[in-house]
């Protein structure tokens, strides 16, 4: 159960509606997902988060599918079911296949395992790995 109410478009302030309208236009969709509705309880956070995610997830040196796969990997590691679901759906729309997803999960699992081993053993970083 959600701790805070979701702000529906019809009940939103003009400031929140402006962000919702931008989300609808930018994503070429006809609905606002619950993440945005939840954080709309704080219009400043809503605006800041939307502007940041628009900038970060826009095309750049990394292609959109790679960015979504990275988002999934971090969301799995941070155990955020909502983000896993939403970014997996977005990645699938950008071409993520079942085989790619399975391989991604294998990499995430291995990275988490070896990260914990390195932390537990307190492995010193090799000189060859250090950047000048």
């Amino acid at each position: 159960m959600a701790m805070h109410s979701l702000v529906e478009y019809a009940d939103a302030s003009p400031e929140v509606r402006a962000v919702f309208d931008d989300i609808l236009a930018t994503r070429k969709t006809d609905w606002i997902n619950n993440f945005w509705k939840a954080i709309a309880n704080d219009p400043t956070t809503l605006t800041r988060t939307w502007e940041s995610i628009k900038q970060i997830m826009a095309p750049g040196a990394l292609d959109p599918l790679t960015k979504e796969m990275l988002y999934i990997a971090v969301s799995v590691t941070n155990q955020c079911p909502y983000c896993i679901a939403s970014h997996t759906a977005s990645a699938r729309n950008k071409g993520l296949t079942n085989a790619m997803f399975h391989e991604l999960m294998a990499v995430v699992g291995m990275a988490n395992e070896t990260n914990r081993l390195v932390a537990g053993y307190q492995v010193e970083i090799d000189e060859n790995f250090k950047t000048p």
Side-chain angles (χ1 to χ4, degrees):
M1 175 181 237
M3 292 185 63
H4 299 279
S5 62
L6 301 178
V7 177
E8 298 297 336
Y9 188 91
D11 303 320
S13 69
E15 181 181 7
V16 169
R17 276 191 187 188
V19 175
F20 282 1
D21 287 339
D22 192 30
I23 291 169
L24 293 168
T26 301
R27 293 191 164 170
K28 297 176 178 66
T29 187
D30 61 353
W31 66 289
I32 300 294
N33 69 45
N34 286 342
F35 172 75
W36 300 110
K37 291 177 184 179
I39 67 171
N41 284 287
D42 180 354
T44 301
T45 297
L46 171 69
T47 301
R48 178 186 50 78
T49 305
W50 173 242
E51 290 302 320
S52 292
I53 205 159
K54 255 195 334 187
Q55 179 182 5
I56 297 300
M57 298 305 281
L62 297 174
D63 66 88
L65 177 56
T66 300
K67 288 183 179 191
E68 291 295 349
M69 291 173 69
L70 287 166
Y71 220 112
I72 294 166
V74 172
S75 299
V76 167
T77 297
N78 288 333
Q79 299 179 14
C80 180
Y82 189 91
C83 293
I84 294 165
S86 68
H87 288 279
T88 298
S90 184
R92 288 202 184 281
N93 288 335
K94 291 174 175 65
L96 180 73
T97 65
N98 285 339
M100 292 166 74
F101 179 81
H102 297 310
E103 191 168 332
L104 175 62
M105 290 303 98
V107 172
V108 169
M110 182 53 51
N112 278 300
E113 178 183 343
T114 57
N115 286 182
R116 285 182 177 91
L117 288 169
V118 166
Y121 280 102
Q122 300 177 24
V123 178
E124 186 176 332
I125 299 172
D126 299 81
E127 286 299 320
N128 292 349
F129 294 153
K130 294 180 181 177
T131 55

